[in-house]
Amino acid sequence: MKRIILSLFVFFVVSSIVTAQEIRLNAFSKYVFDDKVDSYYSSTSYFEGTIEGGFQWGLGLEYMAHPTKGIELKYLRQEAQVPMSYYLNGVKTKTFDVNINYVLLGGNNYFKTGGKVEPYGGLGIGMAIFKIQNPESSSTDDSAIKFAWELKLGTNIWVSEKVGIKLQADLASAVQSAGGGLYFGTGGAGAGVSTYSTMYQWGLGGGLTFKLK
């Protein structure tokens, strides 16, 4: 998956520079809401916790293949805290620091209104990269790459020919991102839970969009 995304990124950048009639740079700033993750396999094999909401930022490069169609590659990042309870030789409760990074490739469909307001909807697929800091050891981290997708609705409000204000609501998901190969526990993979929980993050915010070419 990682190699596929990197190959798509190189192809996207090269083709955009060579053939694009319009390229947009999109800057994102939004708040993402809490999401609960849990898995109960047995009375001695479970976890439950909350990926706390917070500030998320990102950048996107968008190639306008058509006046109403855009192809966008973007990066999003959030630094979250995750209070977690799990069973490992008894019930344990800890708060983990988690860095969540999305790399998504998707499409946007714009609805021309004839004015400065440009509504749009879109979707994207890619990967979510997690890095978890073990609170018991500063040198022991756990990390994983998971399949991710995104749905979004928003609008651009153009304040000049080249600059617009972006308003957007979206839903991003990292599939089977907690449990299984990515554990919250002592020594990285210590909780020993064999089932998964998918993460869903609702986001609300905005940003800026710039026409570069």
Side-chain angles (χ1 to χ4, degrees):
M1 174 63 74
K2 187 175 182 180
R3 291 181 179 180
I4 293 174
I5 295 296
L6 291 175
S7 298
L8 289 173
F9 172 75
V10 173
F11 173 78
F12 175 81
V13 172
V14 173
S15 62
S16 296
I17 294 173
V18 173
T19 65
Q21 297 300 312
E22 182 180 312
I23 298 176
R24 297 181 181 182
L25 176 64
N26 300 317
F28 301 96
S29 175
K30 59 184 176 179
Y31 181 85
V32 293
F33 296 90
D34 292 355
D35 181 60
K36 183 179 179 180
V37 292
D38 59 67
S39 176
Y40 284 87
Y41 184 73
S42 71
S43 61
T44 58
S45 179
Y46 70 87
F47 69 85
E48 61 177 1
T50 300
I51 299 176
E52 294 185 346
F55 174 71
Q56 186 183 78
W57 62 271
L59 292 173
L61 187 64
E62 184 175 9
Y63 162 49
M64 298 300 295
H66 183 272
T68 62
K69 302 290 189 295
I71 303 171
E72 183 181 30
L73 179 70
K74 71 178 179 181
Y75 168 79
L76 299 172
R77 178 177 175 85
Q78 179 194 0
E79 297 178 3
Q81 287 193 324
V82 183
M84 185 70 64
S85 297
Y86 58 93
Y87 190 94
L88 179 63
N89 300 319
V91 178
K92 298 182 183 295
T93 300
K94 297 175 186 175
T95 298
F96 297 83
D97 293 323
V98 182
N99 294 332
I100 307 171
N101 301 276
Y102 290 97
V103 180
L104 299 166
L105 180 65
N108 298 319
N109 185 74
Y110 293 92
F111 304 93
K112 297 297 183 180
T113 62
K116 295 184 177 181
V117 179
E118 186 184 44
Y120 64 87
L123 56 85
I125 60 172
M127 59 185 178
I129 306 168
F130 293 84
K131 185 175 182 181
I132 302 173
Q133 178 67 51
N134 185 339
E136 291 191 345
S137 173
S138 60
S139 61
T140 304
D141 295 336
D142 194 16
S143 62
I145 299 176
K146 298 292 181 175
F147 174 76
W149 57 264
E150 175 194 47
L151 296 175
K152 55 190 170 182
L153 289 173
T155 187
N156 295 326
I157 304 172
W158 295 98
V159 296
S160 71
E161 184 180 350
K162 298 291 185 181
V163 180
I165 298 173
K166 182 180 291 291
L167 303 176
Q168 181 173 297
D170 54 52
L171 171 64
S173 176
V175 179
Q176 295 186 338
S177 54
L182 180 62
Y183 301 119
F184 295 89
T186 303
V193 180
S194 58
T195 55
Y196 297 87
S197 183
T198 295
M199 181 185 74
Y200 296 93
Q201 287 189 303
W202 290 95
L204 187 63
L208 296 172
T209 181
F210 306 91
K211 293 181 180 179
L212 303 182
K213 182 180 179 181

